[in-house]
């Protein structure tokens, strides 16, 4: 009997950037992955950075109006790193806000996601953080603010910890330090991975579905294998010692939803570990803040950039 077709990973709607990129190119990683890299806005933006504004904790009203770009004109470019199974367009409103503020927004599709290919190295957040540096190098960006969501937020923290010379500041939205820091009650990653593996195996076995052209089946086997591997990435990684984040010296804003899949104690541990980190909890929101509350994220990103 045929398995149930695997469902798309993170299929919910979102707004992609409303402006065209000023640069779009492919960068080849050492293991052969082809990384889709993009720049939006002011290509002349430089990499300056100001003093830390100090730490505080706040709760922001998710129902408030759109962000104003007048208060922030980021000197350093802003690098956007998306979440698991997504592509850089998830940050459409935030990219637009940075561009409208006169800044340069840099983005990429993480390997095995969006328009980027898989490569041969084992998937890890450290590997994808290195990919982000490759993207910045290709776009001529020496130092950048980093805005990361979910997997991208993990990568942002790793970049700030391990490559401080490249990072001006960080906004980490929905990051976790360990696999145990994620509540998978409503997001059964193990079952999703298994369903994708089963569908891929069925698609690839032409003997079990005679009369069916496997090239017409959706999703394709490669997509399912990638999704299963991305699920296992979250099941098995990251493993970040909270104490190691004390090495981060740049301004950091930690964001999460009130009803995030990241356990509150995990978010609090990150905010405590990073010196002078600012903690923002979005009321009545879940994990996907760039989709659920794009205006809120725009405001907090611009506020952070203005302070940093």
């Amino acid at each position: 009997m045929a398995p149930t077709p695997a469902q798309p990973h993170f299929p919910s709607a979102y707004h992609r950037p409303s402006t065209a990129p000023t640069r779009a190119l492919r960068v080849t990683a050492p293991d052969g992955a082809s990384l889709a890299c993009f720049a939006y806005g002011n290509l002349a933006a430089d990499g300056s950075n100001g003093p830390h504004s100090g730490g505080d904790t706040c709760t922001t009203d998710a129902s408030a109006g759109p962000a104003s770009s007048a208060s922030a004109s980021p000197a350093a470019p802003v690098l956007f790193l998306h979440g698991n199974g997504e592509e850089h367009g998830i940050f459409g409103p935030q990219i637009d806000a940075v561009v409208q503020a006169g800044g340069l927004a840099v983005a990429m599709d993480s390997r095995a996601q969006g328009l980027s290919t898989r490569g041969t190295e084992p998937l890890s957040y450290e590997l994808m953080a290195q990919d982000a540096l490759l993207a910045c190098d290709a776009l001529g960006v020496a130092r950048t603010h980093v805005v990361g969501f979910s997997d991208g937020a993990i990568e942002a923290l790793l970049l700030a910890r391990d490559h401080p010379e490249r990072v001006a500041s960080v906004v980490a939205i929905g990051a976790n330090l360990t696999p145990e820091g994620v509540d998978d009650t409503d997001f059964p990653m193990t079952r999703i991975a298994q369903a994708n593996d089963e569908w891929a195996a069925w698609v690839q076995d032409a003997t079990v579905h005679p009369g069916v052209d496997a090239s017409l089946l959706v999703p394709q086997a490669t997509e399912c294998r990638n999704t299963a591997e991305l699920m296992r990435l979250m099941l098995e990684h990251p493993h970040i010692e909270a104490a190691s984040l004390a090495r981060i010296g740049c301004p950091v804003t930690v964001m999460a939803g009130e009803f995030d899949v990241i356990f509150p104690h995990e978010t609090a541990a990150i905010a405590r570990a990073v010196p002078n980190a600012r903690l923002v909890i979005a009321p009545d929101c879940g994990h996907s803040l760039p989709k659920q509350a794009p205006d809120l994220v725009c405001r907090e990103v611009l506020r952070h950039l203005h302070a940093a």
Side-chain angles (χ1 to χ4, degrees):
M1 184 175 66
T4 301
Q7 297 303 305
H9 188 24
F10 292 120
S12 58
Y14 55 92
H15 294 287
R16 302 192 77 257
S18 63
T19 55
T22 45
R23 291 194 71 190
L25 66 156
R26 289 191 174 276
V27 177
T28 302
D31 71 332
S34 175
L35 307 174
C37 307
F38 306 86
Y40 296 82
N42 181 14
L43 291 172
D46 63 28
S48 62
N49 180 42
H52 197 311
S53 61
D56 67 312
T57 300
C58 70
T59 297
T60 305
D61 181 4
S63 64
S68 169
S69 62
S71 62
S73 181
V78 183
L79 170 65
F80 290 91
L81 300 174
H82 64 76
N84 194 294
E86 299 173 337
E87 53 92 25
H88 81 281
I90 187 74
F91 287 112
Q94 291 77 44
I95 289 172
D96 289 341
V98 168
V99 172
Q100 289 163 12
L104 173 66
V106 176
M108 63 177 297
D109 293 352
S110 295
R111 61 172 61 219
Q113 297 157 83
L115 296 176
S116 294
T117 63
R118 167 66 182 82
T120 59
E121 286 292 318
L123 278 188
S124 72
Y125 294 115
E126 290 78 8
L127 176 64
M128 291 193 283
Q130 289 294 327
D131 289 343
L133 294 179
L134 289 176
C136 287
D137 290 343
L139 293 165
V141 174
R143 195 160 186 255
T144 178
H145 302 285
V146 187
V147 177
F149 165 60
S150 199
D151 279 17
I154 297 169
E155 296 156 33
L157 293 172
L158 292 174
L159 286 168
R161 185 193 70 181
D162 300 337
H163 302 277
E165 75 285 356
R166 302 296 300 268
V167 178
S169 74
V170 167
V171 177
I173 307 168
N176 57 294
L177 300 174
T178 65
E180 294 75 27
V182 181
D183 182 357
D184 63 354
T185 303
D186 297 320
F187 185 36
M189 293 179 281
T190 300
R191 192 163 73 235
I192 293 170
Q194 181 179 354
N196 275 273
D197 277 337
E198 290 174 353
W199 177 254
W202 185 80
V203 168
Q204 290 178 317
D205 187 354
T207 65
V208 300
H209 44 81
V212 175
D213 183 345
S215 69
L216 300 178
L217 296 175
V218 177
Q220 285 285 289
T222 299
E223 180 184 352
C224 288
R225 297 290 189 202
N226 281 345
T227 296
E229 188 176 21
L230 289 168
M231 289 295 105
R232 285 191 286 270
L233 175 66
M234 292 189 289
L235 287 165
E236 299 170 5
H237 300 278
H239 298 284
I240 300 172
E241 291 289 340
S244 73
L245 300 182
R247 304 205 302 264
I248 296 177
C250 65
V252 174
T253 294
V254 177
M255 292 186 67
E258 180 182 6
F259 305 112
D260 211 300
V261 298
I262 308 301
F263 287 116
H265 63 78
E266 190 92 338
T267 300
I270 295 170
R272 284 196 305 270
V274 178
N276 298 315
R278 175 171 163 264
L279 177 61
V280 178
I281 302 299
D284 300 319
C285 289
H287 181 61
S288 298
L289 293 184
K291 292 181 182 180
Q292 295 177 353
D295 292 337
L296 177 152
V297 176
C298 283
R299 282 195 306 277
E300 291 302 333
V301 166
L302 292 177
R303 176 181 177 181
H304 170 90
L305 293 174
H306 181 69

